[in-house]
Amino acid sequence: MAVDAPDAFSASTPLFIVANAGSGHDAADDTRAAMTKVFTAAGRSHEFVLIEKGGDVVAAAQDAVERARAVRGAVIAAGGDGTISAVAQQAADSGVLFGIVPLGTFNYFARVHGVPQDAAAAARALLTATPQPTQVGCVNNRSFLVNASLGLYPELLEDREAYKQRYGRSRLVALVSGLRSLLREQRQLHLEFGIDGEIRRIKTPTLFVGNNRLQLERVGLDDAAALDDGHLVAVHPRPIGALAMLGLTLRGALGRLGDADQVQSLVFRELEVRPRRWARRRIKVGIDGEIVWMRLPLRFRAKPGALQFLMPAPAARAAVE
């Protein structure tokens, strides 16, 4: 698909905001009200494209992107990492300007770019933002902003979502669900890596491909700087049991994962991953917190500058925490 050159971003650029629909006193209603107040006070043309409960975020993102393209507008994702990633994919494919109002639990993409975590402050930051070409990762035909993974990590995501549905969304709930998952017996993946014409064979409980410098730095991986040079970073532990995996998780929480002998990492621009011990055609992949089934082999690649991200002006940026 041909991508047009990005439009300039100015006070006359209309905004099309993809957001979850609320219900009366729902927090989503309060968030939209806060954004509306900011944009109305600034005289900024804006329109919400709502994701109804149980609705399709991809369809809403496509709708918003088409509306933005028709009037040289910008599309804004208001939500967590999954919503932001889904809207970013459509924006990157079309060349439309893309901004965010982060509403999730971890918000790694927002934090690494200094986007304020408060909805009103993030909306104000959009008013003076500047388009900046930003890298996305890609696995097969799906883009990701933060990470993509297979094996244990997608299982952790599924367990975390189940716990959140039952106990609410918080980092404590995410931690408890993760510990429970880690203590189960770990299934091992037998994989082949194809990189630079070379085949490497590995056995691991999980493969993690990172595209977010902050997330990699926080767990203590020195390869995080490679993202700035148009690379992605693949991380995988050697075959280990549940208690050893728990130990690695604690190391990561202390920012010392890179010192662990059981952990290996690989910096790459393109990487093909295929199973070598079973004849399955599809595999479960975690992409920015969402679970999808993808056809094998998996082809990962970095796409530097693929997304025209609306970066907050220095004075509007939040400190990276």
Side-chain angles (χ1 to χ4, degrees):
M1 175 181 178
V3 176
D4 297 332
D7 296 312
F9 187 69
S10 69
S12 62
T13 302
L15 308 177
F16 295 84
I17 308 152
V18 179
N20 286 318
S23 55
H25 300 291
D26 193 284
D29 289 324
D30 296 336
T31 299
R32 291 204 312 278
M35 287 187 283
T36 296
K37 183 177 181 180
V38 170
F39 296 142
T40 300
R44 176 59 63 91
S45 172
H46 65 282
E47 181 179 343
F48 287 94
V49 180
L50 299 182
I51 309 165
E52 299 297 334
K53 187 174 181 179
D56 185 353
V57 63
V58 174
Q62 290 173 337
D63 183 20
V65 165
E66 287 306 312
R67 295 192 200 187
R69 288 190 72 179
V71 295
R72 298 184 180 277
V75 62
I76 310 299
D81 284 336
T83 298
I84 288 172
S85 180
V87 179
Q89 161 125 18
Q90 302 303 319
D93 289 345
S94 67
V96 167
L97 299 175
F98 169 77
I100 64 172
V101 175
L103 305 175
T105 303
F106 294 100
N107 297 324
Y108 278 114
F109 182 77
R111 289 161 62 196
V112 80
H113 290 101
V115 178
Q117 303 296 293
D118 175 75
R124 285 192 292 272
L126 283 168
L127 298 175
T128 55
T130 303
Q132 175 173 302
T134 301
Q135 174 169 294
V136 301
C138 188
V139 51
N140 292 359
N141 62 347
R142 179 72 181 261
S143 298
F144 58 94
L145 299 178
V146 180
N147 62 62
S149 58
L150 51 150
L152 174 62
Y153 199 73
E155 293 178 9
L156 290 173
L157 294 175
E158 286 189 319
D159 291 344
R160 187 180 75 187
E161 188 59 30
Y163 262 61
K164 285 180 178 179
Q165 292 293 329
R166 186 172 181 181
Y167 299 111
R169 294 183 176 273
S170 72
R171 295 190 183 187
L172 178 61
V173 170
L175 174 62
V176 171
S177 68
L179 291 174
R180 179 178 178 275
S181 303
L182 288 169
L183 290 174
R184 293 200 301 259
E185 182 179 356
Q186 308 303 329
R187 177 184 177 185
Q188 303 298 317
L189 299 173
H190 299 257
L191 303 173
E192 287 185 349
F193 286 177
I195 180 170
D196 297 331
E198 177 186 351
I199 299 297
R200 304 183 188 182
R201 294 177 173 85
I202 70 164
K203 180 180 177 182
T204 182
T206 192
L207 173 67
F208 177 95
V209 177
N211 184 43
N212 185 275
R213 178 170 47 82
L214 176 63
Q215 187 179 46
L216 295 177
E217 288 175 345
R218 288 296 165 86
V219 298
L221 291 172
D222 294 335
D223 292 328
L227 300 177
D228 297 332
D229 296 324
H231 293 81
L232 298 174
V233 178
V235 183
H236 61 89
R238 293 188 172 95
I240 55 176
L243 289 178
M245 180 62 76
L246 180 58
L248 287 182
T249 303
L250 293 175
R251 272 182 169 277
L254 295 172
R256 297 173 52 199
L257 190 62
D259 297 333
D261 293 335
Q262 304 100 319
V263 174
Q264 296 180 307
S265 62
L266 173 68
V267 173
F268 67 92
R269 284 192 170 92
E270 295 189 9
L271 176 70
E272 181 172 291
V273 178
R274 65 178 70 232
R276 62 184 176 92
R277 276 197 139 185
W278 68 95
R280 64 168 61 184
R281 296 183 178 180
R282 300 195 307 157
I283 193 169
K284 191 184 298 183
V285 183
I287 298 180
D288 287 344
E290 303 294 322
I291 304 298
V292 298
W293 284 91
M294 306 195 80
R295 292 187 66 85
L296 292 161
L298 301 178
R299 295 182 173 89
F300 292 90
R301 68 184 188 278
K303 298 173 68 175
L307 185 67
Q308 294 296 325
F309 175 63
L310 294 174
M311 176 72 78
R317 289 178 200 167
V320 178
E321 299 178 355

